[in-house]
Amino acid sequence: DLDLSNIGHYILTVRVTDNGSPPLSTTTVIRIVVTLSDNTGPKFPQPEYQAEITENAALGTSVITINAVSQSTLTYNIKLDYETKPSYTLIVQAANMAGMATNVTVIIHVVDENDNQPVFQQLHYRGTEPRSHIFKVMAVDGDKGINGEVSYYLKDDHGHFEINRHTGILSLKRAFESDLSNVEYHMVIFARDGGYPPLSTSVEFPITVVNKAMPVFDKPFYTVSVNEDISIHTPILGINATSPEGQNIIYTIVDGDPSLQFDIGFDTGVISVIHFLDYEEASSYRLTVRATDYLTSARAEVDVDIIVLDINDNPPIFQKMFYKVILSESAMIGTPALQVIAIDKDSEKNNIVRYQIFSNEHNSTDYFHIDSSSGLILTARMLDHELVQQYNFIVRATDNGFPPLSSEVSVIVVVNDLNDNPPVFHQLLYEAYVNELAPRGHFVTCVQASDADSSDFDKLEYRILSGNEKMNFVMDKQTGIITLSSHHKQRMDPVYSLNVSVSDGVFTIDVEIKVLDLNDNKPAFDANNYEATVMEGMPVGTKIIQVHAIDPDSGANGQVTYSLGNLLQSEMDSLLETFSIDTNTGWISTRKDLDHETNPSYTFTVIAADLGEVVSLSSTTTVTVAVSDINDNPPKFLEQHYFGTVQESDPPGQVVAVLNTRDDDSSAVNRGVHCFCLGGRPSEQCGSEGRSCRRRCGGQCLGPIQSPRSWLSGLQHRPRHW
């Protein structure tokens, strides 16, 4: 039998010799090729293979080479038998062209590397009173064998501490001096594994030597979780400390609350929320609470961790106000159209966004599909410009909070018409600038297109379809050059949007021509003078009159703002205290109560100025505001008492006394004063009830007695003083 391990070929040298004397001989070479017959499967030289590989080996690292022998070409594949972390057992199969297959077992051992450092199981340690065993730390290492064996060391024992290398127990090896109190030692403990090279980690462990008179908290530290929508003044945690002397304790927050979000009852130790929390601004707080003995002033501090829990209070917000995309009607099914993206500011548990399409018309949900996770919108059917030129639909983004919040955005998909071998413009948009003072025939821009059809190569014609209603521009139909027409006016619009077609007029391009404006016009008021009347006593902020100016320039050169001015500084201060003007609308309003008696009218200047980029132009107008009088001042007697005498023999109509009065109103109607008797008792009965008293009367007033109707009728004919 042939040795299968030497499958390949043999080279033999054969010699032939005759029986002559002397004998003669010759040699030849024979090559023998050994192959397996088709009726036998591939053969592995070994019944089993084993290999080792380190756990952090790079991808593509060669593990082992396996060869099988066969008469024909072989293919290899791996069949996974079972998997464990320390080793993998694979079945490798070799199969020839005839379908004959042979299996071999390959065991790959994963060799552990020292790639894990020890990890402390508790990251927060707090020492309290000195004792034999102060605390026990513990660290674990994910490696195996000696790589995972952990030992403990102190960075500095401060002459008082020691740690067991194997157990992690921290102990006091030397007592403190009797007068030592309130001293804190910042211990650093290292955990190191036994690998090579060794890996280590450290943890800080503060130990405080406390005075026996210091308050003692019932916990080494406190922690609490609260929702961000918690109501203010809600208690969230109680801190409790006791005094060894049995005295009262006072609680204060001394650190960790720069925005004053929390408050603590000084005598109860209850922490409350006093301002609204926001997870997105601060997800946690670490407060330092101090307990102070009321009598001895001895104090102790403790850490309080407050975890703010997120609630779903932020809806997803789209990055754009709306989305618009243009698609060709030749787009295949599954063509990406656009991607909508919404951002939710909440935490991971509430900010996962899902997208959904809602159709407005044309059954948009049948023609478009959205990936609920990414917001990518794809075509779901073939589009047809002749049937629908534009699709409008709504995309809703909903988060995974409870209750879920959502927002919506509009999406517009414009379907472009398709034409075989259309002319193609060299640019999607042409933009040009021309000075408004440019001469006739001035070159503006040139648009160019090409056509894939060779028959149309020299037959393209250009036309302006729209935007040139005033015939300001001329286009050469052969070259596509646009120039100013020979009859264009000097005053031009700031922007022209021309729609230009090529060849058959179906395919168009937009040409935007911006006219560079010169600030050669100053604002012009509607009137040289403005007059207005306002009653005194009107409330502050009353609108009086609106001035208006127009600037024919464009852009900032034509934007007008209004102000009060062109007066001396002393007058300006008084004017600005009395009136204000809206810089954009020109409305003039009052800023204080107006008094006709103090200032019956105001005359001032209003300035209208444009926002010219190089130089600002302005004009002025005069505004006169008349303050009309109202009857806001009562009449006054010039004397507090008047005295008169009359003899019993005096005839009727005899003057008894003259009553002098004054009214501070300025108009004739409001300052007219009229007297009549309110009452009185005659010394003798008049005997003429209801008529004018013509006898000697006593009381408050002497003179003719008239009804209110009679003295009102003569209001404008009476003298000021009676």
Side-chain angles (χ1 to χ4, degrees):
D1 292 337
L2 293 176
D3 186 357
L4 295 180
S5 62
N6 294 325
I7 286 179
H9 62 271
Y10 294 87
I11 299 177
L12 306 179
T13 301
V14 179
R15 176 181 296 168
V16 58
T17 305
D18 60 20
N19 293 323
S21 182
L24 300 176
S25 64
T26 185
T27 60
T28 186
V29 176
I30 300 176
R31 177 173 295 176
I32 302 174
V33 178
V34 180
T35 61
L36 294 175
S37 61
D38 291 338
N39 58 356
T40 61
K43 300 291 185 181
F44 286 100
Q46 298 178 212
E48 183 178 281
Y49 293 85
Q50 293 194 19
E52 291 184 347
I53 185 171
T54 59
E55 59 179 324
N56 293 317
L59 295 178
T61 300
S62 177
V63 180
I64 189 173
T65 301
I66 299 173
N67 287 321
V69 294
S70 175
Q71 185 177 358
S72 59
T73 303
L74 297 178
T75 60
Y76 296 87
N77 63 78
I78 296 176
K79 299 193 299 181
L80 188 62
D81 187 12
Y82 68 92
E83 178 182 353
T84 60
K85 289 185 177 179
S87 65
Y88 296 86
T89 300
L90 309 177
I91 302 298
V92 178
Q93 184 181 81
N96 60 16
M97 301 300 293
M100 304 293 291
T102 302
N103 297 340
V104 68
T105 301
V106 178
I107 301 175
I108 300 177
H109 299 280
V110 180
V111 179
D112 182 46
E113 281 189 349
N114 188 24
D115 58 344
N116 292 288
Q117 64 184 17
V119 177
F120 283 96
Q121 291 186 320
Q122 184 177 348
L123 296 181
H124 184 94
Y125 298 94
R126 188 76 177 180
T128 56
E129 298 179 352
R131 51 188 176 178
S132 297
H133 291 177
I134 300 175
F135 210 90
K136 179 180 180 181
V137 296
M138 179 176 293
V140 295
D141 192 309
D143 293 317
K144 303 298 181 183
I146 192 174
N147 293 334
E149 294 181 0
V150 180
S151 55
Y152 306 93
Y153 302 89
L154 292 178
K155 180 180 180 180
D156 185 359
D157 63 5
H158 298 283
H160 291 279
F161 306 98
E162 63 182 0
I163 192 169
N164 188 295
R165 292 180 54 187
H166 304 290
T167 64
I169 295 176
L170 184 64
S171 304
L172 183 66
K173 69 177 183 179
R174 186 167 65 88
F176 297 104
E177 298 178 3
S178 58
D179 59 345
L180 187 65
S181 63
N182 298 333
V183 176
E184 184 173 276
Y185 294 91
H186 292 277
M187 307 297 297
V188 178
I189 301 177
F190 287 93
R192 186 171 63 193
D193 61 25
Y196 183 81
L199 299 179
S200 63
T201 187
S202 64
V203 66
E204 290 189 2
F205 180 30
I207 298 177
T208 302
V209 182
V210 300
N211 190 310
K212 291 183 179 181
M214 290 177 58
V216 178
F217 291 96
D218 60 354
K219 294 182 180 179
F221 63 92
Y222 295 82
T223 182
V224 66
S225 298
V226 295
N227 289 334
E228 63 175 323
D229 63 343
I230 187 171
S231 302
I232 59 175
H233 305 301
T234 300
I236 60 174
L237 181 64
I239 307 298
N240 184 42
T242 57
S243 170
E245 305 296 332
Q247 304 300 326
N248 293 332
I249 300 296
I250 297 176
Y251 302 91
T252 54
I253 297 175
V254 296
D255 193 18
D257 188 20
S259 301
L260 302 179
Q261 299 287 130
F262 307 95
D263 184 36
I264 188 170
F266 76 95
D267 56 346
T268 63
V270 175
I271 298 178
S272 303
V273 177
I274 59 174
H275 288 95
F276 291 110
L277 303 178
D278 189 347
Y279 173 87
E280 285 69 38
E281 292 185 1
S283 60
S284 64
Y285 297 86
R286 170 163 287 186
L287 310 181
T288 300
V289 174
R290 177 177 295 168
T292 305
D293 190 298
Y294 181 81
L295 182 61
T296 65
S297 298
R299 62 191 185 184
E301 295 178 354
V302 68
D303 290 338
V304 179
D305 290 333
I306 301 177
I307 309 301
V308 181
L309 302 178
D310 182 41
I311 65 168
N312 193 29
D313 57 347
N314 291 286
I317 301 298
F318 284 96
Q319 294 181 337
K320 297 181 179 180
M321 299 297 294
F322 70 92
Y323 291 83
K324 183 176 182 180
V325 68
I326 300 175
L327 288 181
S328 172
E329 63 178 337
S330 63
M332 301 299 293
I333 296 176
T335 299
L338 76 158
Q339 185 178 21
V340 297
I341 298 176
I343 305 299
D344 193 309
K345 294 182 180 180
D346 289 316
S347 63
E348 293 181 358
K349 70 173 185 177
N350 294 322
N351 67 1
I352 298 177
V353 179
R354 299 293 179 183
Y355 302 92
Q356 188 178 4
I357 290 179
F358 291 89
S359 176
N360 280 356
E361 55 186 5
H362 303 307
N363 297 323
S364 300
T365 53
D366 294 337
Y367 286 87
F368 298 95
H369 167 76
I370 189 169
D371 184 274
S372 61
S373 300
S374 65
L376 181 64
I377 300 176
L378 307 98
T379 58
R381 288 189 180 183
M382 295 297 294
L383 308 178
D384 190 343
H385 175 82
E386 285 67 36
L387 294 178
V388 180
Q389 290 78 40
Q390 180 174 302
Y391 292 90
N392 299 281
F393 52 88
I394 300 296
V395 173
R396 178 180 296 168
T398 306
D399 60 27
N400 64 325
F402 183 81
L405 301 179
S406 62
S407 59
E408 296 180 348
V409 70
S410 297
V411 177
I412 301 173
V413 179
V414 179
V415 181
N416 266 359
D417 190 24
L418 178 66
N419 195 349
D420 293 335
N421 298 314
V424 178
F425 285 99
H426 294 175
Q427 295 180 210
L428 295 178
L429 174 68
Y430 286 83
E431 189 176 32
Y433 295 85
V434 61
N435 195 296
E436 66 176 346
L437 301 179
R440 295 176 175 86
H442 181 76
F443 173 85
V444 178
T445 188
C446 179
V447 299
Q448 290 184 330
S450 59
D451 198 313
D453 295 327
S454 58
S455 59
D456 295 335
F457 182 77
D458 295 326
K459 299 179 182 179
L460 299 181
E461 292 185 1
Y462 300 89
R463 289 189 302 148
I464 298 177
L465 296 181
S466 63
N468 194 30
E469 288 73 14
K470 296 182 180 180
M471 304 300 294
N472 288 313
F473 304 95
V474 175
M475 169 171 262
D476 189 300
K477 66 178 183 179
Q478 300 296 332
T479 63
I481 295 176
I482 299 176
T483 59
L484 289 175
S485 64
S486 59
H487 59 276
H488 88 279
K489 297 181 180 179
Q490 199 71 14
R491 172 60 60 188
M492 301 180 68
D493 296 335
V495 177
Y496 292 88
S497 295
L498 307 182
N499 192 258
V500 176
S501 71
V502 60
S503 189
D504 56 6
V506 175
F507 304 96
T508 64
I509 191 70
D510 291 329
V511 178
E512 185 171 300
I513 301 174
K514 298 182 178 179
V515 179
L516 301 177
D517 179 55
L518 296 178
N519 191 19
D520 53 353
N521 294 280
K522 63 181 181 179
F525 281 98
D526 295 342
N528 292 329
N529 298 285
Y530 291 85
E531 295 182 355
T533 301
V534 61
M535 289 192 303
E536 64 175 335
M538 295 298 289
V540 175
T542 298
K543 291 184 177 180
I544 303 174
I545 190 172
Q546 183 182 25
V547 298
H548 184 253
I550 298 177
D551 192 320
D553 290 320
S554 62
N557 294 334
Q559 188 174 346
V560 179
T561 60
Y562 304 92
S563 62
L564 306 176
N566 281 358
L567 297 174
L568 297 176
Q569 183 61 42
S570 59
E571 297 176 346
M572 276 299 299
D573 294 341
S574 176
L575 177 62
L576 295 178
E577 291 176 357
T578 308
F579 300 101
S580 66
I581 188 169
D582 190 302
T583 58
N584 296 319
T585 64
W587 269 106
I588 299 175
S589 307
T590 61
R591 297 190 69 175
K592 71 175 184 179
D593 292 334
L594 303 182
D595 188 358
H596 173 83
E597 285 70 37
T598 303
N599 286 301
S601 68
Y602 298 85
T603 300
F604 52 88
T605 300
V606 174
I607 304 172
D610 60 31
L611 299 179
E613 298 176 355
V614 178
V615 62
S616 175
L617 301 180
S618 63
S619 59
T620 61
T621 187
T622 301
V623 177
T624 300
V625 178
V627 182
S628 61
D629 183 44
I630 64 173
N631 190 23
D632 57 344
N633 292 286
K636 300 178 182 178
F637 286 100
L638 298 184
E639 302 292 339
Q640 188 174 4
H641 301 282
Y642 291 89
F643 300 93
T645 60
V646 61
Q647 296 182 2
E648 61 179 349
S649 61
D650 288 342
Q654 179 69 31
V655 175
V656 177
V658 177
L659 311 182
N660 295 324
T661 63
R662 184 186 69 196
D663 192 306
D664 290 336
D665 290 316
S666 58
S667 63
V669 173
N670 294 329
R671 71 170 180 263
V673 178
H674 309 279
C675 293
F676 61 92
C677 289
L678 297 177
R681 182 177 57 83
S683 59
E684 297 181 3
Q685 294 295 329
C686 294
S688 56
E689 183 177 357
R691 296 176 296 172
S692 300
C693 180
R694 298 185 180 275
R695 295 190 178 186
R696 185 173 59 181
C697 298
Q700 298 177 356
C701 174
L702 294 176
I705 302 176
Q706 297 182 357
S707 66
R709 182 184 300 273
S710 64
W711 66 260
L712 283 173
S713 63
L715 185 65
Q716 57 185 346
H717 302 294
R718 299 296 179 89
R720 180 181 178 98
H721 302 292
W722 286 28

